[in-house]
Amino acid sequence: MKIPVTIAFLFLIAFTIQAKKIVVSDNSLARVIASAKAGDTIWIKPGIYKTGNLLVTKSLVIIGEGLPTIDGEYKYEIFTVNVKNVTIKGLRLINTGTSSTLDYAAIKATGADDLKVIDNILINAYFGIHISNTSGAQIIGNKISRAQAASETAVGNAIHLWKSNHALIERNQVSGHRDGIYFEFVTNSVIKNNHSEKNMRYGLHFMFSNEDQYIENEFVNNGAGVAVMYSYAVNMIRNLFANNWGSSAYGLLLKDMRDSEVINNRFLNNTMGIYMEGSSRINFTKNEFSGNGYAIRMQASCDGNVFDQNNFEANTFDIATNGTMVLNKMEKNYWDKYEGYDLNKDGLGDTSYHPVNLYSMIVERVPVAILLWRSFMVFLIDRAEKNLPAITPENLLDSKPSMKPYDLLAKSN
Amino acid sequence: MISLQKVTKFYGRLKTLSEVELEMKAGHCYALLGPNGSGKTTLIKSVLGMVIPDSGEIRINNQNVAGQYLYRKQIGYMPQIGQYPANLRMAQLFEMMKGLRPDVKNTDEELIDSFGLRPLMDKRMYSLSGGTRQKVSAALAFLFRPFIYILDEPTAGLDPVAVEVLKEKLIREKKSGKLFIITSHILNDLEDIVTDMVYLFEGSIRYNSAIEDLKTETRESSFAKAIAVLIKNQDLQIKELVTP
Amino acid sequence: MTRMLKYVLQDVLRARFVLFYMVFMMAVTTILFQLDSDPAKVVMSLLNVVLLVVPLVSIVFTTIHYFNSYEFILLLMAQPINRKSVFLSQYAGVASSLCLSLLIGIGLPALAFGAATQVLPLINVGLFLTCIFVSLGFLASSLTRDKAKAIGIALLFWFYFTLIYDGILLWVIYAFNDYPLETPTLILTSLNPVDLARIMMLLSMDISALMGYTGAFFKDFFGSGFGILFSFAMMGLWVMWPLLLALRRFKKNDL
C-alpha cells in the first residue's frame, strides 16, 4: 500500500476511536446524516426509509443492518458524497429519480477519495454508482439491477467512473443498465471478478483509460458486448465474453487500442468474438474462441498484433478482414477447420492454414454477397478452396497451426 | 349422331387427318378401315377428345365437343392396347372406374362373367397377359351401358372363344339401336356385325357407304372379298388385310 | 375431383417411395437432434437438407410419377372427366403426399425432441418448396413426351435454382459492386424460390445477426407486414405459374 493511503487509513482509525455510533430507525435519517461529525458511524436499522438527496460532506461510515431500504421514490438522488473517506455498506437503495440533464444516481461521489461502497443492493437506479475525480475508490460486492428501460438513453450506467484512478471494482453484479461498468479517463485501476449481464449497451465500456487491468470478469448477453477504446497498456485476463448476440454486438470491441495483452479469455457464442479497428501491438495469447459467428473481425487499420496459441473451434468464420492482415502475425493457433498433417510429429501442422476463407473475403468486399450465405454455391466455393488453397491470398496464414487444441483450463471458474 | 366437319390434324409436319368429313348415325355399326398410319386411331381419339384437332369440328348430338367432357358419358371406349396402372389389382380397377361414375348404378358386367375375369380379380394389372388385358378393356367399354361404342382393334389378341363372346355381345347391343365404331384388320370377325364401311387412307376418307351397297357394287357376297375388290379397283394399298 | 384425388393418392402411396422419403427425413432429423442439443444448430443443418433434397426429390419424383401414371391418365381421359380436374388431382395427390411426408419426417422427431416451435419456419419453407418443385416437375413433364428427356429437364430446373442462379447472382453482385445493391438483390433473390426460402429462414433465426447491414436491411423488409405478405405472395406465385403453364399445356397435349 502506498504511503498516502496508509496515512489516510491511520487517520481513519484515529477518527473512529473518538467517533460515535448513531443508530437510526425512523425518518430522522436525513437529519442524522446532516448533523453527524466526521468519523461517526451511522447504523441504520432494518426498515424502509423514504428519503433522498442525502448529502454526505463528512467522512462517515454508513452501515445498514439487515439490508434496510432507502427509497428515492423515483424523485431523488439518494447519496451524494463529496468528501474523502466515506463508507457505504449493506444498504438497499431503490428508485432514484430520472433526469436527462442531471445524472441522478443511487450513490454519486465527486472528489471522494478512498470511498468504499460495499455489499449494497441497488434496484431501479438511474445511475447506480457514479464516481468522478476520485482516487482509490473501492466498489465491492454490490448488486445493481433495474427493470427494463424503454431505450438506452432512458437509463444510466450501473458503475460509472470518470477521471479517477487507483479504483478497485470487484465482485459486483450489474445488469439492466445502459453500460454495466463505464470507465472514462480512469487509470491504474482493477476490474476483477465482476458479472455484467443483460445491459442495454455494453457490459464494460472503457475509454481513454490507460494502464488498467480487468481480470476474471464475466460479460454475458449484453446488447453490444464490451468496448475497449482509445487506451493503451490494458491487460485483459481470464475474462468470459459470452452470448453477446445481435447485428452490432461483439464479445470485445477494440478500437484505437495499443500495447495491450489479451490472455486466457474465453469468447463463446458471440456474433463477433473480437472486432478490432485501428489497434496495434496487442498480444492475443491462449484465448478460446468457440461458437462465434466471426471469431475475429479485423479492419485493415490494425497492425503489429500477434495471435499465438489460441483455440478456434466451431466458429462460422475464423477470421474476416477487409485488408490483407500482412502486418499482423499468427502462429501456433489451433484451428478446428485445419485439415493438414504433421509428419515430423512436433505437434504443429506441416502445411499452413488460411483462416480467412474466400467467401468471407467476397463478403468483406461486397457486403450484399452475404445473401448467398448457406447456399449450395457457397458450400461448393468452400470445398473448392479447401482442395485448391491457392485461390486465397498467400499472406493470410498461420504457418504453424497446432494439430491439437490447447488445454486452456487455467481460467476463471 | 356423330358428325365430323373438315377435321384436320397434324403431327409435326405430318398431316394425319386431312379435312375429314363424316356422319355416323345411331343404329349403325361402322367399320373403320385403312392401312397402318392412315389415321384411324387419331380419328377415334379426336372423337374422344384425347387428341385435339388443329382445325375442323366434331359434333356429337349436334354439340361441338371441343373443350367438353360430359359427352363422354355416352361413349364406351376400348383402346387398341389397354394400358393400366401397373400396380393396380383388377378389382381395384373396376371399383375405381365405377367410383368415378357413381351416377351409373346399373352397370353391365356381363362381359366380366362371360370372359371369366372374376377369378382373376385380385391379380395386379402388370401380371395379366395381353389377351386378358384386352378382355378387361372390352368389359370396361361396356360397363356403363353407353350409347356410342368405340372399339379400336377389339379382336386383336383375343382368343377365338373370346372373339365369339364379344361378337355375340355386339350383336345383342346392336339390336338396341346404338352406334358402333370398330376398327379392325381382321375383317372376318366383323362380317356379321358391320353395317357401314368407312375407308381411311393417308388421312382422308376414300370410301364411305353401306355394306350392302359395297357388295352390290363389287358383286361379291362376302364382306372381306368385297373390300379386297374395292381396294384393288381403287388402288388403295392395304398390305395387312387378311383375306379368307 | 376428390374421388380422383383418392385414386391418385392410392397410386402415389403404392409406389412406396413417399414412405421411404418420410423415413429418410425422419432419420436425418433424429440423427441431427441426437448429434447436437442446440435446436437452432439442428435447424441450420436441416436447412441445408431442405434446400437441396426437398426440391430434388419433389421435382424428380413428380416427373417420374407423371410418366408412370400416363396409363392412368389415358384411362381417365376416355371417361367423362375434364382434363383440368385430372391434372389438378394429379398435382394435389403428389404435392399433398410429399408435403405430408416432409411434415411428419421433420415434425415428428422435432416434437419428440421438444423443438416443434423451432422447426416451424423450416417446415413452412419446406412445404412451399415442395409445392413449387412439384409444379416445376409437372411443367417439365408437360414439355416433352419422352420420360428421360423430362427427367433431364427436371434436373436442369433443380440445378438452375440451387446453383446456377446463385452463380449468376454472385457474378452480378460482384460486377456492380460500386452501386447500391440492396434493392436489386432483394428483387433478384425473390426470383428464385430456393434463395427466397433460404433468406426467409435465415432471417427468422438469431444467426441473421451475422449478416450485418445487408441482413438488417433485409430483415427490415421481410420482417414488416408488407415483407411477410410479399414473401408469401412470391412463394405462392412460384407455386402457381409453373402449375398454370403446365395445365395449359396439358389441356392442349395429345394423349
Side-chain angles (χ1 to χ4, degrees):
Chain A
M1 223 174 240
K2 290 177 180 143
I3 288 161
V5 181
T6 318
I7 292 169
F9 196 66
L10 288 174
F11 267 106
L12 188 69
I13 292 166
F15 275 123
T16 38
I17 289 168
Q18 35 168 284
K20 282 189 293 185
K21 174 174 165 183
I22 310 163
V23 176
V24 180
S25 60
D26 53 23
N27 57 12
S28 62
L29 182 61
R31 255 182 294 126
V32 169
I33 288 174
S35 61
K37 300 259 179 332
D40 286 352
T41 295
I42 295 172
W43 188 271
I44 304 174
K45 292 297 244 182
I48 296 173
Y49 301 84
K50 298 203 169 184
T51 180
N53 292 336
L54 301 170
L55 194 61
V56 182
T57 53
K58 283 147 283 185
S59 304
L60 300 175
V61 176
I62 302 170
I63 295 180
E65 178 191 335
L67 273 177
T69 299
I70 302 180
D71 183 353
E73 298 179 279
Y74 298 108
K75 283 188 272 189
Y76 317 115
E77 180 154 285
I78 298 177
F79 284 106
T80 311
V81 181
N82 46 29
V83 66
K84 295 178 183 179
N85 279 322
V86 171
T87 298
I88 296 173
K89 189 178 173 188
L91 296 173
R92 191 163 168 271
L93 308 177
I94 65 172
N95 307 341
T96 68
T98 301
S99 159
S100 52
T101 47
L102 303 166
D103 292 342
Y104 280 138
I107 299 170
K108 184 185 282 175
T110 311
D113 292 359
D114 301 314
L115 170 73
K116 293 185 179 65
V117 178
I118 299 169
D119 295 340
N120 300 288
I121 293 177
L122 277 58
I123 299 171
N124 290 341
Y126 184 63
F127 275 82
I129 301 168
H130 186 294
I131 293 173
S132 51
N133 293 313
T134 294
S135 175
Q138 296 187 18
I139 316 291
I140 300 170
N142 301 285
K143 290 182 184 165
I144 308 175
S145 63
R146 56 165 294 134
Q148 194 70 45
S151 74
E152 64 177 45
T153 50
V155 58
N157 304 319
I159 298 175
H160 178 107
L161 273 79
W162 190 74
K163 271 200 175 173
S164 296
N165 58 66
H166 295 94
L168 173 65
I169 316 291
E170 195 175 352
R171 291 199 326 274
N172 300 287
Q173 295 181 22
V174 295
S175 68
H177 282 262
R178 186 199 298 158
D179 294 336
I181 300 171
Y182 179 95
F183 267 38
E184 192 174 356
F185 306 112
V186 179
T187 55
N188 300 95
S189 297
V190 176
I191 301 171
K192 196 175 172 190
N193 240 319
N194 300 284
H195 184 90
S196 176
E197 190 171 352
K198 290 182 190 155
N199 294 291
M200 302 187 72
R201 194 169 62 184
Y202 295 116
L204 170 68
H205 191 178
F206 199 98
M207 293 183 293
F208 310 108
S209 296
N210 309 317
E211 296 173 71
D212 292 321
Q213 308 198 31
Y214 58 97
I215 306 170
E216 293 172 9
N217 301 286
E218 295 174 345
F219 304 103
V220 180
N221 200 3
N222 293 294
V226 167
V228 179
M229 307 187 278
Y230 315 111
S231 308
Y232 61 84
V234 178
N235 292 338
M236 302 162 236
I237 302 166
R238 292 193 296 278
N239 299 286
L240 170 70
F241 302 84
N243 304 332
N244 299 294
W245 198 267
S247 56
S248 55
Y250 325 99
L252 174 60
L253 164 68
L254 296 172
K255 184 174 165 60
D256 292 329
M257 290 292 298
R258 59 190 172 86
D259 301 299
S260 295
E261 300 284 337
V262 179
I263 303 170
N264 245 318
N265 300 283
R266 283 178 300 158
F267 298 86
L268 312 178
N269 307 321
N270 305 288
T271 319
M272 287 175 221
I274 296 179
Y275 176 82
M276 53 197 296
E277 55 182 69
S279 296
S280 312
R281 297 189 299 279
I282 301 176
N283 294 324
F284 298 85
T285 315
K286 294 185 176 173
N287 300 288
E288 171 98 40
F289 296 89
S290 177
N292 302 289
Y294 294 85
I296 293 167
R297 191 160 183 184
M298 187 186 271
Q299 296 296 307
S301 51
C302 298
D303 63 358
N305 300 290
V306 178
F307 296 86
D308 186 20
Q309 298 176 62
N310 301 286
N311 285 344
F312 291 85
E313 289 170 283
N315 303 297
T316 307
F317 300 107
D318 286 327
I319 293 184
T321 177
N322 61 352
T324 61
M325 283 187 54
V326 69
L327 300 170
N328 300 283
K329 197 172 150 194
M330 270 181 214
E331 219 171 60
K332 296 183 192 166
N333 298 288
Y334 169 74
W335 314 88
D336 63 344
K337 297 183 186 71
Y338 179 60
E339 290 177 351
Y341 47 82
D342 176 22
L343 288 181
N344 59 1
K345 302 279 177 216
D346 62 352
L348 299 174
D350 297 350
T351 56
S352 31
Y353 175 69
H354 300 253
V356 184
N357 73 18
L358 185 61
Y359 175 62
S360 79
M361 286 179 57
I362 294 172
V363 171
E364 288 295 332
R365 198 163 304 165
V366 192
V368 175
I370 192 74
L371 281 177
L372 291 168
W373 188 39
R374 291 257 164 194
S375 66
F376 187 45
M377 199 198 47
V378 168
F379 168 80
L380 289 183
I381 289 178
D382 283 350
R383 286 319 306 175
E385 189 185 13
K386 270 188 181 142
N387 297 317
L388 305 160
I391 56 185
T392 21
E394 198 49 32
N395 47 36
L396 304 172
L397 55 80
D398 184 335
S399 56
K400 295 174 189 164
S402 169
M403 294 304 289
K404 275 192 234 145
Y406 294 98
D407 180 14
L408 302 177
L409 283 175
K411 54 202 164 194
S412 61
N413 333 356
Chain B
M1 193 73 205
I2 302 178
S3 134
L4 281 74
Q5 288 153 15
K6 294 196 171 179
V7 173
T8 302
K9 175 69 189 176
F10 287 91
Y11 281 120
R13 251 175 293 163
L14 184 73
K15 206 173 195 178
T16 319
L17 292 180
S18 170
E19 308 212 331
V20 170
E21 299 267 352
L22 188 57
E23 293 286 332
M24 290 185 270
K25 293 185 197 78
H28 289 249
C29 178
Y30 294 87
L32 189 55
L33 303 180
N36 283 351
S38 58
K40 298 182 304 261
T41 299
T42 305
L43 195 147
I44 285 173
K45 284 191 166 182
S46 300
V47 172
L48 283 161
M50 296 165 84
V51 166
I52 290 149
D54 294 306
S55 65
E57 241 181 47
I58 298 170
R59 290 176 163 270
I60 292 181
N61 286 335
N62 220 17
Q63 266 203 318
N64 192 342
V65 302
Q68 301 296 314
Y69 60 97
L70 286 173
Y71 73 93
R72 287 199 286 264
K73 280 189 179 180
Q74 307 169 43
I75 302 177
Y77 171 56
M78 178 179 173
Q80 194 170 15
I81 301 159
Q83 292 173 302
Y84 299 100
N87 285 310
L88 219 55
R89 289 176 205 280
M90 196 196 289
Q92 289 173 320
L93 177 69
F94 279 102
E95 191 193 317
M96 180 178 87
M97 295 311 282
K98 285 187 219 165
L100 287 170
R101 293 180 63 175
D103 51 318
V104 181
K105 296 282 183 292
N106 173 29
T107 52
D108 178 359
E109 306 198 3
E110 191 191 329
L111 277 181
I112 299 177
D113 293 308
S114 46
F115 278 144
L117 292 174
R118 295 265 180 225
L120 305 171
M121 275 294 175
D122 58 345
K123 286 243 167 14
R124 292 193 189 276
M125 294 308 287
Y126 69 83
S127 67
L128 300 179
S129 72
T132 313
R133 244 182 272 184
Q134 281 299 89
K135 289 177 186 169
V136 171
S137 297
L140 284 174
F142 285 84
L143 192 62
F144 298 107
R145 302 184 190 278
F147 197 77
I148 301 167
Y149 290 86
I150 299 178
L151 312 177
D152 198 355
E153 300 282 348
T155 56
L158 286 183
D159 59 72
V161 180
V163 171
E164 277 315 303
V165 169
L166 184 60
K167 267 168 82 175
E168 277 162 33
K169 176 75 181 161
L170 281 169
I171 290 164
R172 247 174 293 139
E173 291 299 319
K174 211 178 101 183
K175 281 177 189 154
S176 53
K178 294 182 175 179
L179 169 59
F180 292 82
I181 304 169
I182 301 173
T183 74
S184 183
H185 289 124
I186 307 161
L187 298 168
N188 278 359
D189 294 342
L190 303 176
E191 179 91 56
D192 318 326
I193 304 162
V194 293
T195 58
D196 293 74
M197 191 193 77
V198 175
Y199 195 88
L200 210 57
F201 187 70
E202 287 175 346
S204 40
I205 290 173
R206 294 299 177 88
Y207 193 83
N208 179 6
S209 94
I211 299 290
E212 290 313 311
D213 299 344
L214 174 69
K215 283 181 182 169
T216 334
E217 209 173 294
T218 56
R219 293 189 206 93
E220 289 283 348
S221 56
S222 124
F223 171 48
K225 276 187 179 159
I227 291 170
V229 170
L230 170 79
I231 289 159
K232 219 166 124 191
N233 292 351
Q234 304 219 349
D235 194 24
L236 304 170
Q237 308 294 318
I238 290 191
K239 298 201 168 74
E240 309 82 355
L241 201 70
V242 178
T243 43
Chain C
M1 171 97 185
T2 43
R3 228 170 288 121
M4 235 180 316
L5 181 59
K6 188 180 106 190
Y7 299 121
V8 176
L9 276 175
Q10 280 177 358
D11 195 31
V12 171
L13 294 177
R14 215 171 281 124
R16 305 230 188 280
F17 175 81
V18 172
L19 196 74
F20 170 77
Y21 174 54
M22 187 180 79
V23 171
F24 169 77
M25 290 309 280
M26 242 178 202
V28 169
T29 311
T30 309
I31 289 167
L32 286 174
F33 268 109
Q34 274 170 345
L35 287 179
D36 205 320
S37 55
D38 179 4
K41 282 190 186 142
V42 175
V43 170
M44 278 317 284
S45 313
L46 272 175
L47 178 64
N48 292 344
V49 176
V50 167
L51 291 179
L52 280 182
V53 175
V54 168
L56 183 63
V57 165
S58 301
I59 198 166
V60 172
F61 175 75
T62 303
T63 312
I64 293 174
H65 168 85
Y66 177 86
F67 283 92
N68 284 354
S69 50
Y70 191 71
E71 293 88 16
F72 182 62
I73 292 169
L74 272 184
L75 196 64
L76 291 175
M77 287 325 300
Q79 305 303 315
I81 296 166
N82 70 353
R83 288 192 174 199
K84 194 175 166 185
S85 35
V86 171
F87 182 81
L88 291 180
S89 59
Q90 286 286 343
Y91 179 81
V94 175
S96 62
S97 49
L98 287 176
C99 281
L100 197 70
S101 302
L102 184 74
L103 190 70
I104 296 172
I106 293 179
L108 208 66
L111 211 62
F113 285 93
T117 47
Q118 284 94 331
V119 300
L120 223 55
L122 183 73
I123 289 179
N124 172 37
V125 299
L127 295 182
F128 262 125
L129 285 178
T130 303
C131 292
I132 289 167
F133 278 84
V134 170
S135 281
L136 288 168
F138 276 107
L139 182 61
S141 307
S142 74
L143 289 175
T144 170
R145 295 181 70 139
D146 180 357
K147 184 174 174 178
K149 230 188 209 168
I151 292 174
I153 294 171
L155 286 174
L156 204 68
F157 275 153
W158 175 78
F159 208 58
Y160 173 76
F161 287 116
T162 50
L163 191 65
I164 298 172
Y165 188 90
D166 289 349
I168 297 168
L169 185 59
L170 185 64
W171 179 80
V172 169
I173 289 173
Y174 216 85
F176 295 94
N177 158 15
D178 297 333
Y179 301 89
L181 283 169
E182 272 74 17
T183 314
T185 29
L186 193 144
I187 293 163
L188 285 174
T189 47
S190 317
L191 297 180
N192 177 351
V194 179
D195 278 346
L196 189 59
R198 184 170 50 77
I199 287 164
M200 279 168 76
M201 204 42 221
L202 287 177
L203 292 180
S204 77
M205 301 182 70
D206 281 351
I207 202 140
S208 64
L210 289 186
M211 297 170 76
Y213 170 75
T214 308
F217 176 85
F218 268 58
K219 201 162 190 166
D220 225 39
F221 177 76
F222 284 111
S224 68
F226 174 75
I228 292 167
L229 211 68
F230 173 82
S231 45
F232 275 73
M234 272 326 270
M235 292 301 247
L237 274 179
W238 271 105
V239 178
M240 293 309 293
W241 83 254
L243 184 65
L244 291 178
L245 201 64
L247 173 61
R248 242 181 67 175
R249 292 193 62 95
F250 182 77
K251 275 176 157 174
K252 285 185 188 160
N253 277 356
D254 298 320
L255 295 162

